[in-house]
């Protein structure tokens, strides 16, 4: 195994490890469903106003959607980084083969 191949394998595994750790820290699965909000009668009495509950639901929903967007962007960035790394490695291998055949 050449040094470049070893570097490629280490870099790829490190990117994948950090990606998995991030998703674990966010407690997120690839296809997650919105959290179900169940409000009991006691909680409704504590809040006192129905409009306030609607605002709370809207805020939670907005935060959930924003979090999903951040996770999607992060996943897309990881995919792009891995694709670039693999593409550069393939180009390097082709150049190396041409030099060896010449």
């Amino acid at each position: 195994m050449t040094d470049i191949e070893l570097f490629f394998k280490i870099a790829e595994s490190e990117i994948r490890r950090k990606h998995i750790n991030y998703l674990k820290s966010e407690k997120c699965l690839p296809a997650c469903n919105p959290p179900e909000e169940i409000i009991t009668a006691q909680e409704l009495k504590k809040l006192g106003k129905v409009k306030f509950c609607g605002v709370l639901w809207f805020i939670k929903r907005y935060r959930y959607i924003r979090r999903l967007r951040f996770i999607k962007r992060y996943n897309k960035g990881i995919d792009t980084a891995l694709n670039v790394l693999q593409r550069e490695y393939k180009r390097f291998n082709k150049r190396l083969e041409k030099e060896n055949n010449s």
Side-chain angles (χ1 to χ4, degrees):
M1 197 183 280
T2 64
D3 292 337
I4 298 296
E5 187 178 358
L6 183 62
F7 172 77
F8 168 73
K9 297 290 182 183
I10 291 171
E12 185 179 22
S13 67
E14 191 66 20
I15 290 171
R16 290 185 191 279
R17 185 185 63 77
K18 287 186 179 185
H19 184 224
I20 290 169
N21 287 339
Y22 173 76
L23 291 178
K24 283 182 183 176
S25 71
E26 289 293 318
K27 297 177 183 169
C28 147
L29 299 173
C32 34
N33 298 323
E36 293 183 17
E37 298 292 329
I38 299 173
I39 299 175
T40 62
Q42 293 174 350
E43 292 174 353
L44 191 58
K45 285 180 184 178
K46 286 180 184 177
L47 296 174
K49 296 182 180 178
V50 177
K51 290 182 182 179
F52 185 68
C53 293
V55 171
L56 283 179
W57 176 84
F58 180 75
I59 291 171
K60 287 181 182 179
R61 184 70 183 164
Y62 174 76
R63 287 181 182 166
Y64 175 76
I65 290 170
R66 191 175 73 187
R67 180 174 165 255
L68 279 183
R69 286 181 184 161
F70 286 144
I71 291 172
K72 284 181 183 178
R73 285 187 217 154
Y74 184 80
N75 289 342
K76 186 161 177 106
I78 292 292
D79 290 340
T80 302
L82 288 173
N83 287 338
V84 167
L85 184 66
Q86 290 169 354
R87 187 173 50 230
E88 290 299 319
Y89 181 67
K90 286 178 184 177
R91 285 181 186 170
F92 175 78
N93 276 342
K94 287 181 181 178
R95 277 195 312 251
L96 195 62
E97 287 177 9
K98 282 184 182 178
E99 289 176 6
N100 288 340
N101 290 338
S102 297

